[in-house]
Amino acid sequence: MIISQLLDAQPHLTTRECEILECVALGMSAKEIARHVSLAPRTVERYIENMRLKMHARNSAHMVACGVFYGVIHVPS
């Protein structure tokens, strides 16, 4: 039952949010992500916080786990 509730509550992430989430999953810092996507570090931090809230995640690790669960981040086999 909990799994079906999670699937019903799947958040919509923008293309930019997905790009930043993948960088977070790779262990990049906000400064490294900012250089990679040509944004200010504070803007990247804001994206990360907004995604965390959208996904109802407790922290960045939980946010990445949610991204994998929802299929936003693809894990190579």
Side-chain angles (χ1 to χ4, degrees):
M1 178 153 163
I2 292 174
I3 299 293
S4 64
Q5 289 172 341
L6 286 174
L7 288 173
D8 290 341
Q10 182 173 358
H12 173 73
L13 298 181
T14 65
T15 303
R16 177 68 89 180
E17 288 172 333
C18 291
E19 181 182 17
I20 291 173
L21 183 57
E22 287 178 0
C23 291
V24 171
L26 292 172
M28 295 172 71
S29 69
K31 286 182 182 180
E32 291 169 329
I33 296 169
R35 281 192 296 270
H36 180 71
V37 298
S38 301
L39 292 173
R42 184 67 190 119
T43 303
V44 170
E45 290 170 2
R46 179 74 50 132
Y47 268 107
I48 292 169
E49 181 62 14
N50 288 341
M51 285 186 295
R52 191 187 66 74
L53 293 172
K54 273 186 182 182
M55 300 174 95
H56 304 287
R58 293 182 201 97
N59 52 42
S60 291
H62 187 212
M63 184 175 65
V64 169
C66 289
V68 171
F69 178 81
Y70 291 125
V72 175
I73 299 172
H74 301 285
V75 179
S77 48

